[in-house]
Amino acid sequence: MVENHARYWDGRDLRPLYLAALVHEFPETNLVAAAHDGIRGYIFGFVTPARVAYVHLIATRDDTRGTGLGHRLYYAFSVAARTQDATQLKAITSPDNKGSSAFHQRFGFVVRVVEDYNGPGADRVVFTKELNGCL
Ligand SMILES: CC(C)(COP(=O)(O)OP(=O)(O)OC[C@H]1O[C@@H](n2cnc3c(N)ncnc32)[C@H](O)[C@@H]1OP(=O)(O)O)[C@@H](O)C(=O)NCCC(=O)NCCS
């Protein structure tokens, strides 16, 4: 997965965001879709004390896109988050990641741009969705 990271992120290098601590400390909400041909996708996140199920990273390998894997990963994450009493899903992306926005909008996430979210001049798109129904 780390070796093939470009296949999950369309060439962008997000390896600094792979945090081993998340996997070690939040195993219930850090999920990997593994198959005979390797890792097809993953979702990494955790539930905050305010009961927000925060998605740090979600990605599917380039040859698995459009097969419903992203949805299945989000669904499994939501089920795990609910068992920890989460009430809301939240994720962040860059304004130029139109695919991520389309994906989240498909599942009814509220989308808003927050100026300077990631520091001065670094706006981010923030997705939120109440966890009171099916994803
Ligand atoms: C975003 C991503 C995880 C979606 O994964 P996926 O496995 O292709 O998603 P699914 O097959 O489950 O698609 C679910 C729905 O979202 C829609 N969708 C997914 N990607 C889309 C895109 N780029 N543009 C428009 N719609 C999209 C699908 O059409 C599908 O809708 P449908 O149910 O009406 O057919 C994947 O494209 C990816 O890994 N992108 C690179 C990493 C990234 O940007 N992650 C998000 C960071 S917040």
Side-chain angles (χ1 to χ4, degrees):
M1 185 171 87
V2 174
E3 303 77 38
N4 294 334
H5 71 278
R7 296 190 62 189
Y8 301 84
W9 290 96
D10 304 325
R12 286 172 288 157
D13 187 356
L14 273 76
R15 282 177 292 182
L17 297 182
Y18 288 168
L19 303 177
L22 283 184
V23 177
H24 290 298
E25 305 303 330
F26 302 96
E28 298 86 0
T29 52
N30 284 260
L31 309 172
V32 173
H36 66 279
D37 59 352
I39 292 173
R40 294 183 178 175
Y42 53 86
I43 186 165
F44 295 155
F46 53 88
V47 177
T48 74
R51 300 167 69 186
V52 174
Y54 179 79
V55 174
H56 177 62
L57 294 174
I58 177 170
T60 55
R61 205 174 57 202
D62 51 10
D63 61 347
T64 69
R65 303 263 169 91
T67 64
L69 179 57
H71 183 202
R72 291 197 295 280
L73 286 165
Y74 242 115
Y75 179 80
F77 177 84
S78 302
V79 170
R82 275 173 193 253
T83 68
Q84 298 179 31
D85 296 328
T87 59
Q88 187 186 59
L89 290 166
K90 182 175 181 181
I92 311 292
T93 200
S94 302
D96 60 355
N97 193 340
K98 304 301 181 195
S100 177
S101 289
F103 173 73
H104 284 90
Q105 282 178 291
R106 166 69 182 81
F107 298 112
F109 280 76
V110 173
V111 181
R112 63 195 169 97
V113 175
V114 178
E115 289 184 7
D116 302 331
Y117 183 96
N118 219 31
D123 301 348
R124 289 292 180 268
V125 181
V126 178
F127 308 109
T128 53
K129 180 179 169 63
E130 299 309 307
L131 254 181
N132 53 10
C134 292
L135 185 71

